[in-house]
Amino acid sequence: MQHDEESGDHREAVPAEVHSAGPRKRPKPGERRVQILQALATMLEQPGADRVTTASLAAKLDVSEAALYRHFASKAQMFEGLIEFIEQSVFTLVNQVTERDGTGSEQAARIISLLVQFAEKNPGMTRVMVGDALVYENERLQNRMNQFFDKIESTLRQALRDAATAEGSATPTVDAQVRAAALTAFVVGRLQRYTRSGFRRMPSEHLEASVGLML
């Protein structure tokens, strides 16, 4: 899992099993939780992957299902951990964009770009973002991702309202609502196409020109 735009391997690093005599090396506090979430994200990266079960996740980590439940009360909590990572990572970057100088249109374009970059570098997370990985999970998880995109749209609307006002629009609020809704629908569609093409159709394809048409 990656928090920023730097590249790097975000797959799990499970400690090697110790077969020799002596005490078995135990993960540090919190380390196993991170390993579980990384393993879940990695399993979601497989194109056409079946629903991830706690049994398959435990097998990947070479631990028992009981060991998973020592760190998470349910699989829903594991997905909530991934969603928290998505929220923290994306909105940290969004806040950086909105705090910079630049027109509202420039800020909106950067926000769409960073969402696409995050998705391309974290394909397993993208399946969570668009809901593909949440189909058979607790409904509150999908509701939380809906709220994530509502917040993205609200941020875009604020930036674009300022831009419309600066451009002398007679109806800046309406103009901003329309553009923000279109941009949000566009980026969600790009992410859905990315996951449903087996991660072959990159969401960054002709991105600048496409966003330019809406701005």
Side-chain angles (χ1 to χ4, degrees):
M1 296 182 286
Q2 298 178 20
H3 285 272
D4 53 31
E5 298 179 3
E6 295 179 359
S7 62
D9 191 353
H10 58 275
R11 300 179 186 276
E12 73 280 8
V14 181
E17 297 295 332
V18 179
H19 296 288
S20 59
R24 179 176 176 175
K25 185 177 180 181
R26 300 180 67 84
K28 297 177 182 178
E31 184 177 328
R32 180 61 80 184
R33 283 178 60 90
V34 173
Q35 291 172 352
I36 291 169
L37 294 179
Q38 289 176 327
L40 176 57
T42 299
M43 292 178 76
L44 292 172
E45 290 181 6
Q46 305 306 312
D50 294 329
R51 181 186 180 192
V52 176
T53 64
T54 52
S56 62
L57 181 58
K60 183 172 183 62
L61 286 165
D62 195 22
V63 299
S64 66
E65 287 186 74
L68 298 180
Y69 290 119
R70 284 198 290 271
H71 302 279
F72 295 94
S74 64
K75 189 167 64 161
Q77 274 197 0
M78 298 177 199
F79 276 106
E80 284 178 330
L82 294 184
I83 292 172
E84 286 170 5
F85 174 84
I86 293 167
E87 291 171 338
Q88 181 180 1
S89 301
V90 170
F91 286 117
T92 295
L93 295 172
V94 167
N95 290 338
Q96 291 174 2
V97 168
T98 57
E99 289 168 2
R100 294 177 189 168
D101 292 332
T103 67
S105 294
E106 289 171 343
Q107 290 181 357
R110 288 184 191 131
I111 289 170
I112 297 302
S113 179
L114 73 84
L115 278 167
V116 165
Q117 289 173 8
F118 178 85
E120 289 185 352
K121 294 180 178 180
N122 297 280
M125 300 292 185
T126 308
R127 291 190 62 205
V128 176
M129 293 169 75
V130 300
D132 288 0
L134 306 176
V135 173
Y136 300 107
E137 307 302 333
N138 193 295
E139 185 179 355
R140 75 173 184 272
L141 299 172
Q142 184 60 68
N143 289 336
R144 189 162 171 180
M145 284 314 313
N146 291 343
Q147 291 170 1
F148 169 88
F149 283 107
D150 286 345
K151 188 174 179 180
I152 289 292
E153 183 171 342
S154 177
T155 304
L156 291 170
R157 189 163 55 244
Q158 178 61 51
L160 293 169
R161 183 164 54 240
D162 294 342
T165 299
E167 293 166 1
S169 170
T171 55
T173 299
V174 174
D175 291 350
Q177 288 176 338
V178 171
R179 288 183 180 181
L183 283 168
T184 303
F186 166 78
V187 75
V188 170
R190 281 294 180 97
L191 300 190
Q192 288 176 333
R193 187 182 70 175
Y194 181 46
T195 62
R196 293 168 191 178
S197 68
F199 307 120
R200 290 188 296 273
R201 291 293 301 275
M202 304 304 285
S204 58
E205 182 179 274
H206 307 304
L207 182 65
E208 185 176 350
S210 299
V211 171
L213 289 173
M214 288 177 278
L215 292 176

